[in-house]
Amino acid sequence: MGKHRVSHPYIPNSVPEVQKQMMQEIGITHIEELYCDIPGELRFKGEMNMPEPLVSEWQLVRHMEQILSKNQTAKEALSFLGAGCYRHYVPAICDEIAGRAEFLTAYAGEPYEDHGRFQALFEYQSMMAELLDMDVVNVPTYDWCQAASTALRMAGRITNRTEVLVAGNTNPQRLLAIGNYCHPAMKVHPVEYNRETGRLDIQGLKGKLTDNVAAVYLENPNYFGVIESDGAAIAGIAHENGSLFVVGSDPISLGILAPPSHYGADIACGDIQSLGIHMNFGGGVAGFVATQDTEEYVAEFPFRLFGIARTEVEGEWGFGDVYYDRTSFAKRELGKEFVGTAAALWGITAGVYLALMGPKGMQEIGRAIMQNSYYAASNLSEIQGVSIRNTGSPFFREFVANFDESGLTVARVNMALREKGIWGGKDISREFPELGQSALFCVTEMHTREDIWILCDALREIIASGKATVEGEATANRIAMAEEKARGNGKGERQ
Amino acid sequence: MEARKPLLRRGFHQAKWDEPIIFELSQPGERGILVPQAEAGVRAEAGEPWNHLPQTMTRKAPPALPELSQARVLRHYLRLSQATLGADLNIETGQGTCTMKYSPKVNEKFPSSSKVAELHPFQDDETAQGILEIIHKTDMLLREISGLGRFSFQPGGGSQAALAIASIIRAYHDSRGEGKQRDEIITTVFSHPCNAATAAVKGFKIVTIYPDQDGYPDFEALKSAVSQRTAGLMITNPEDTGVFNPRIKEFTRIVHEAGGLCSYDQANANGILGVTRAKEAGFDLCFFNLHKTFSSPHGCGGPGSGAVGVTKELERFLPVPVVDFDGEKYSLNYDLSDSIGKVKMFYGGIQAVVRAYAWIMSLGAEGLEAVARTAVLNSNYLLSKIRKIQGVEVPYASGKHRFEQVRYSWGPLTEGTGVTTEDVQRRMCDFGLHYWTSHHPWIVPEPFTLEPTESYSKQELDEYVEALQEISREAYENHEVVKNAPYRSVVHKISPEWFDDPDKWAISWRSYLKKHGGKVET
């Protein structure tokens, strides 16, 4: 290796003597000869501008730890952030299995030498199938954005229609991804939500249905955490129109909430990050799509579907790809959409989680989340200057708190909270300007009663002192910057 | 050299636990983990809100998940992990086009630490300066490697990166009022299928260029393919055959002259790091798979990262947000005027970005070049050895060197013995080695594609060659041995009839029970 003259630990054949033997076998005298097919004008003649390498492992560790120490984690703070990425307890065994070298480094092995990978993912599909009460679940795709987008494109192909109606209380990130993924094949129309209840506006939905609507898409609980009580009615309206009903949900809720198939969903989708996977700055997401087991639906999946089989030895299980010819791996552009490396390890991890939790665990966690979040909403509602929105609607894990009466912006409240080591709810004032200065608070099974009291005390203090806390120009500037940033954050988040 | 044990592992047998399906292990009443309950004071005040849900929203019966004690769950999954070969354990040379290199163990420490794992994507930028710094610096490093202007790490893998690129190409033409007219994407048959597939998702018609007699993308075919309808070119180079297209700059010129954009699929760039770049070849966009060239492990098929790079001119089309640095602070920037919006939640597979950054930093510019040169050396060494094996053919670019991978053919072997590349695949398991065939369509008959990367020693490459040699010998002497393989893998030859018949396929355990009448034994 040039001036370092040391064989790099990651590159065994950098030993000169070995290289010589190999070149002899090839019939060359210098490695450079192997590149003779690249014309001179394509050769990169400059030098890549990069820092000197951290050649010892210790140097690398020190460097990385120095940078990463600048992060404050959700463990070190008291966080009420959710909005698509959630801090639930991750059982130790989930980490143990996700970190196993075999699973971590396997890729595209055959169902023989990778029997374990196939079985673990088949079991993941099977446990999700029980939770969703549907027979077909895919090997995980990238995330809920991809899952919802594909569910809608599947609906388009199944109904041979080219428009979809998407609830306006859908996660704004999802709306952006769906919008891009469907363009130009399908038109996406948002449907209004009711400002009082936070739920989909049924009259608005009826007004938008046409005979070209392939599907109605609804998230439940929706972005505001609200449970869409009218799910069954909405399914009826969609079906009467010949449209499919596509429902996105978080499986962590399904120990107590009815799965989408029970109130008429034809396709269910969502994200499994809540099931034993760390937040990873948003990198812990993974998507599922579920349907009933009919050829019509299975044929439209772009993703891999692992099936169980027999081998030539009595009593032995084998696995393999079901209906592989649907995929772009088999058919390129003639396959259904596309498939590629997505998020299989999170599928295995979520399977471990469901196996640990069992039916009882899923019920208990759903209840704990609901009680904690109801408790938090109720305590917040008692703070002067804070009002809880959508109060008539049942909710799960998340709820909207409005700060209009406090005279403070969410940006300012959150900055003041941060100084106390608290991360307030996600500022949704730019995503949903019609809701005024509102934040989306997330409360899980990990929050204690004391955590909620700490939040409430801090909010009381911040609101009471109000503008009085603005001392000096520096603080005022920082607030202005925070508010400016909140505006920036809103940009591009909602079209 | 002193005497050593023979390279070929004739005594190999993979771990076989005969482990039941997890539902077969269920014992009602057992618990794997206990969940924190709401505290008494909370319960007293909150009551039982689930009782106030409308009937249609209440789960009537608990989900029929298995019930197992904790250690039993652990043992189950540990056994399944042992029944998975994984790149850490095997000479993962057989999975061409996927760059199965060593994923350094030290790099696992960083994403698994709470300083990455416990970060929330919406926490304030001020509290996330470390992770934003790594994202930004990795962007800067990839700019050097590609010569392009800016990278987004949002796509979760190479195929989703191709989707982002097809989306950008469409948004670009839309922004110029030519979106309707420019409805064709040109690719080559030896470019990864995701290029054609994702372009089709974005509504483009696909024009596929086939190789000429020497195995190079047909230049004349390209010339007659371009027109006012050309939206862009999505192509890889070297192609999946390991053949480098030396006229690539003419390809990009012709497409540019027709008004199209040019995208470089660099999912696998392992043979050309520091040697040739997207910029010099005239590309406007490219993507790198951080789980391939840049060493992040593949995780049984993700999560990975498909880093999308564009020229400065196309920066405004990238998915939002991107990470900015003002010289003092790192921040998320959502303000791109013509952004395609989002292809994925949040900012992408951040774990892979962290590992890739650490990997590049451990090698530096010179180390990256050493990676490329060694990968190409290894590949040509394998080529030299394998072309001597009876039954193997190496189509195309006769007499030329190849790059980081080579597509081979067992055509003569199949003709002579009836043994196919899929038979060889199963037999390789018996020697503790993974072997893949190739992407479809199989234009090269009975194909296999080997990519040794820089990670394996000469001795390990020799072991892989010996296994192929042995199987060739078996095929010519007693082909039944190969036909009926595997014998020492986890399971024996799988019956395919449950995979394509809707009445028989079973994608979940409950489907299996319904269709095949099996009973759960308790």
Side-chain angles (χ1 to χ4, degrees):
Chain A
M1 273 191 54
K3 65 187 167 197
H4 295 293
R5 296 274 168 224
V6 178
S7 193
H8 196 284
Y10 304 162
I11 316 177
N13 292 339
S14 47
V15 176
E17 182 51 35
V18 173
Q19 289 200 341
K20 220 160 119 188
Q21 290 169 21
M22 295 174 78
M23 286 193 282
Q24 216 159 27
E25 167 69 35
I26 300 168
I28 55 171
T29 50
H30 198 281
I31 293 180
E32 186 55 34
E33 293 169 46
L34 298 174
Y35 287 111
C36 63
D37 285 343
I38 303 181
E41 61 169 348
L42 292 185
R43 286 301 293 262
F44 175 53
K45 296 176 188 76
E47 263 183 47
M48 293 186 285
N49 179 18
M50 290 184 184
E52 279 296 302
L54 304 163
V55 289
S56 74
E57 190 166 307
W58 160 235
Q59 277 175 290
L60 179 68
V61 169
R62 190 176 53 183
H63 173 77
M64 294 299 288
E65 285 179 351
Q66 268 170 1
I67 299 183
L68 291 174
S69 70
K70 298 171 194 168
N71 295 329
Q72 190 191 359
T73 72
K75 250 168 117 171
E76 294 156 342
L78 172 56
S79 171
F80 293 93
L81 288 168
C85 183
Y86 301 98
R87 184 154 184 257
H88 291 286
Y89 180 71
V90 175
I93 293 181
C94 289
D95 283 338
E96 176 71 24
I97 298 302
R100 283 290 292 191
E102 299 90 335
F103 286 143
L104 184 67
T105 66
Y107 190 29
E110 293 307 304
Y112 300 98
E113 85 264 17
D114 270 6
H115 177 81
R117 167 172 74 99
F118 276 83
Q119 183 169 339
L121 285 164
F122 171 78
E123 292 177 346
Y124 157 76
Q125 294 172 179
S126 301
M127 286 186 274
M128 286 294 285
E130 294 302 338
L131 199 56
L132 293 157
D133 206 4
M134 284 177 134
D135 287 351
V136 178
V137 179
N138 62 311
V139 174
T141 181
Y142 304 100
D143 64 357
W144 192 337
C145 284
Q146 183 66 49
S149 300
T150 282
L152 294 174
R153 296 286 296 256
M154 286 171 69
R157 293 192 293 274
I158 291 167
T159 60
N160 203 20
R161 296 177 178 189
T162 60
E163 292 178 33
V164 290
L165 301 183
V166 175
N169 51 22
T170 293
N171 184 315
Q173 293 203 54
R174 219 110 60 214
L175 279 178
L176 276 180
I178 290 170
N180 179 60
Y181 197 76
C182 288
H183 173 71
M186 302 182 84
K187 282 209 159 51
V188 181
H189 306 289
V191 180
E192 306 79 60
Y193 64 93
N194 182 309
R195 304 259 177 95
E196 297 303 311
T197 64
R199 305 204 294 263
L200 187 77
D201 176 10
I202 292 198
Q203 290 312 317
L205 171 69
K206 285 180 177 164
K208 291 201 165 162
L209 281 168
T210 70
D211 60 7
N212 196 26
V213 171
V216 174
Y217 176 73
L218 181 71
E219 299 191 343
N220 193 22
N222 64 35
Y223 187 57
F224 305 136
V226 166
I227 294 167
E228 293 279 359
S229 307
D230 300 323
I234 295 167
I237 293 165
H239 290 157
E240 207 169 299
N241 191 57
S243 314
L244 302 191
F245 186 37
V246 179
V247 176
S249 72
D250 190 320
I252 196 93
S253 67
L254 298 182
I256 55 168
L257 296 190
S261 60
H262 289 190
Y263 49 92
D266 303 287
I267 307 179
C269 62
D271 207 296
I272 57 174
Q273 183 265 322
S274 295
L275 305 181
I277 299 153
H278 295 279
M279 299 184 293
N280 290 300
F281 205 47
V285 290
F288 70 86
V289 174
T291 67
Q292 295 304 353
D293 186 2
T294 64
E295 188 178 2
E296 186 188 20
Y297 278 75
V298 171
E300 298 306 331
F301 272 85
F303 314 123
R304 296 183 78 176
L305 302 168
F306 287 171
I308 196 167
R310 287 297 187 187
T311 77
E312 61 185 16
V313 171
E314 178 78 27
E316 202 175 62
W317 293 123
F319 300 93
D321 279 280
V322 167
Y323 205 161
Y324 189 71
D325 268 358
R326 331 163 258 113
T327 68
S328 62
F329 281 156
K331 291 280 171 69
R332 296 172 69 89
E333 71 270 23
L334 301 178
K336 300 296 159 71
E337 302 172 43
F338 75 102
V339 63
T341 297
L345 188 63
W346 296 152
I348 293 174
T349 311
V352 176
Y353 184 85
L354 292 173
L356 286 169
M357 293 289 277
K360 201 95 182 93
M362 290 308 288
Q363 186 181 64
E364 287 173 3
I365 198 168
R367 290 181 169 180
I369 291 168
M370 221 167 164
Q371 284 174 321
N372 282 343
S373 52
Y374 268 65
Y375 181 82
S378 146
N379 276 261
L380 254 70
S381 72
E382 286 166 15
I383 301 170
Q384 205 165 15
V386 180
S387 68
I388 304 300
R389 292 297 177 104
N390 314 317
T391 45
S393 300
F395 60 94
F396 182 85
R397 187 173 57 189
E398 291 175 286
F399 57 87
V400 175
N402 178 276
F403 290 89
D404 286 349
E405 289 165 36
S406 73
L408 301 176
T409 61
V410 175
R412 192 166 149 199
V413 170
N414 278 350
M415 201 182 76
L417 283 173
R418 209 159 54 245
E419 282 169 6
K420 298 172 184 292
I422 302 168
W423 297 348
K426 174 164 196 300
D427 188 349
I428 58 169
S429 60
R430 298 293 153 181
E431 294 170 345
F432 296 91
E434 65 273 21
L435 298 180
Q437 287 298 318
S438 290
L440 183 64
F441 280 80
C442 170
V443 180
T444 73
E445 82 282 9
M446 291 178 76
H447 289 98
T448 63
R449 183 150 76 138
E450 197 188 355
D451 290 339
I452 293 162
W453 288 347
I454 290 171
L455 170 68
C456 291
D457 287 348
L459 282 175
R460 261 190 210 97
E461 198 185 309
I462 290 161
I463 291 169
S465 46
K467 287 190 166 61
T469 56
V470 185
E471 286 170 15
E473 211 172 310
T475 314
N477 279 342
R478 282 173 62 209
I479 289 169
M481 274 170 63
E483 288 174 352
E484 178 59 33
K485 203 180 113 42
R487 273 192 289 281
N489 264 329
K491 263 190 197 173
E493 288 246 324
R494 202 168 177 226
Q495 282 178 328
Chain B
M1 199 182 283
E2 76 275 25
R4 292 189 182 190
K5 192 172 183 299
L7 293 176
L8 198 63
R9 290 163 206 270
R10 289 180 192 279
F12 172 83
H13 200 305
Q14 197 171 349
K16 175 186 179 65
W17 286 96
D18 219 8
E19 182 69 3
I21 305 298
I22 197 155
F23 290 88
E24 299 178 285
L25 299 169
S26 182
Q27 171 58 55
E30 283 188 9
R31 295 293 301 265
I33 192 153
L34 299 182
V35 175
Q37 301 299 292
E39 291 163 61
V42 171
R43 291 204 303 273
E45 198 175 317
E48 299 186 332
W50 51 88
N51 286 333
H52 307 297
L53 292 172
Q55 274 303 300
T56 51
M57 284 298 141
T58 305
R59 182 155 204 139
K60 304 289 182 305
L65 294 169
E67 296 174 67
L68 288 89
S69 63
Q70 192 167 100
R72 189 62 189 94
V73 174
L74 177 67
R75 267 193 293 283
H76 178 71
Y77 282 100
L78 286 180
R79 287 167 179 173
L80 295 188
S81 75
Q82 290 198 338
T84 305
L85 195 51
D88 270 358
L89 284 165
N90 102 89
I91 303 165
E92 189 76 293
T93 284
Q95 186 70 33
T97 80
C98 297
T99 319
M100 302 301 296
K101 64 174 58 183
Y102 172 55
S103 302
K105 284 297 155 193
V106 66
N107 293 351
E108 285 313 306
K109 290 182 181 293
F110 313 128
S112 62
S113 85
S114 66
K115 285 292 185 184
V116 175
E118 295 294 335
L119 299 180
H120 191 283
F122 290 138
Q123 70 184 70
D124 194 85
D125 292 352
E126 281 200 26
T127 63
Q129 286 295 299
I131 193 72
L132 294 176
E133 179 177 340
I134 286 177
I135 296 170
H136 178 75
K137 285 185 165 166
T138 310
D139 173 12
M140 299 302 283
L141 292 167
L142 295 187
R143 292 184 202 185
E144 289 298 316
I145 292 168
S146 65
L148 296 187
R150 182 155 209 169
F151 278 80
S152 160
F153 299 99
Q154 195 173 108
S159 297
Q160 203 172 42
L163 174 79
I165 281 174
S167 304
I168 291 171
I169 293 174
R170 179 161 283 286
Y172 169 80
H173 292 302
D174 281 349
S175 77
R176 297 160 57 92
E178 294 186 340
K180 285 225 158 58
Q181 168 205 330
R182 296 199 175 268
D183 63 351
E184 289 180 353
I185 290 283
I186 301 169
T187 185
T188 68
V189 75
F190 286 133
S191 294
H192 190 279
C194 73
N195 292 287
T198 57
V201 167
K202 287 302 291 179
F204 292 112
K205 295 186 182 68
I206 309 303
V207 182
T208 304
I209 306 285
Y210 281 75
D212 64 18
Q213 281 190 327
D214 296 323
Y216 296 99
D218 192 327
F219 188 59
E220 296 306 315
L222 175 82
K223 281 205 286 194
S224 54
V226 293
S227 73
Q228 295 292 304
R229 295 181 64 178
T230 301
L233 175 73
M234 292 173 72
I235 194 171
T236 188
N237 193 34
E239 296 205 293
D240 288 356
T241 50
V243 175
F244 186 89
N245 174 7
R247 300 178 78 175
I248 190 67
K249 199 162 185 173
E250 292 175 74
F251 274 60
T252 57
R253 179 176 54 78
I254 282 171
V255 172
H256 281 151
E257 282 169 3
L261 293 176
C262 297
S263 163
Y264 194 174
D265 173 347
Q266 297 201 273
N268 172 357
N270 212 39
I272 54 174
L273 294 169
V275 176
T276 180
R277 312 191 303 175
K279 181 185 180 177
E280 281 72 27
F283 285 99
D284 309 291
L285 313 98
C286 80
F287 69 90
F288 294 115
N289 287 12
L290 301 187
H291 52 284
K292 293 185 175 173
T293 309
F294 297 96
S295 90
S296 189
H298 284 68
C300 286
S305 171
V308 172
V310 295
T311 56
K312 278 284 167 204
E313 293 69 39
L314 295 177
E315 192 178 319
R316 61 197 162 97
F317 294 101
L318 282 174
V320 287
V322 289
V323 176
D324 278 353
F325 181 52
D326 67 4
E328 229 173 84
K329 290 278 178 200
Y330 298 91
S331 59
L332 291 166
N333 176 7
Y334 287 84
D335 195 11
L336 299 180
S337 60
D338 294 293
S339 171
I340 58 168
K342 291 193 84 69
V343 293
K344 188 167 186 280
M345 294 287 280
F346 311 116
Y347 327 122
I350 294 305
Q351 316 88 295
V353 179
V354 172
R355 295 186 190 105
Y357 174 75
W359 186 79
I360 297 171
M361 290 302 289
S362 69
L363 285 154
E366 208 178 329
L368 293 183
E369 284 176 48
V371 162
R373 283 161 200 275
T374 313
V376 174
L377 175 71
N378 289 351
S379 174
N380 282 284
Y381 175 75
L382 272 187
L383 171 64
S384 174
K385 291 266 197 173
I386 287 172
R387 68 159 87 241
K388 296 174 195 159
I389 297 176
Q390 191 185 4
V392 173
E393 223 171 37
V394 188
Y396 304 135
S398 169
K400 298 275 191 185
H401 301 300
R402 297 295 171 97
F403 280 69
E404 81 291 358
Q405 61 194 348
V406 179
R407 182 150 298 172
Y408 302 89
S409 170
W410 282 117
L413 184 89
T414 307
E415 258 172 56
T417 70
V419 168
T420 66
T421 188
E422 284 169 327
D423 296 328
V424 174
Q425 180 172 49
R426 290 194 315 280
R427 182 62 174 146
M428 284 294 271
C429 302
D430 288 332
F431 299 106
L433 296 167
H434 169 60
Y435 166 109
W436 175 59
T437 55
S438 289
H439 287 297
H440 292 273
W442 285 358
I443 292 169
V444 170
E446 302 302 324
F448 64 109
T449 310
L450 303 185
E451 183 187 4
T453 78
E454 75 281 11
S455 295
Y456 301 101
S457 69
K458 173 177 170 294
Q459 191 181 345
E460 287 173 311
L461 299 180
D462 288 341
E463 179 184 336
Y464 203 89
V465 172
E466 276 201 27
L468 292 172
Q469 247 161 6
E470 173 72 4
I471 294 169
S472 163
R473 191 187 59 75
E474 288 173 344
Y476 283 102
E477 283 176 12
N478 176 13
H479 70 275
E480 285 300 310
V481 173
V482 188
K483 281 281 181 199
N484 295 326
Y487 311 94
R488 305 190 299 257
S489 189
V490 185
V491 294
H492 298 82
K493 212 167 164 181
I494 295 164
S495 317
E497 64 264 29
W498 286 9
F499 295 139
D500 291 301
D501 180 347
D503 293 330
K504 291 182 177 161
W505 68 43
I507 300 164
S508 56
W509 183 246
R510 52 172 23 209
S511 267
Y512 163 75
L513 295 177
K514 284 180 194 170
K515 291 184 183 179
H516 301 284
K519 282 185 189 153
V520 187
E521 286 164 28
T522 52

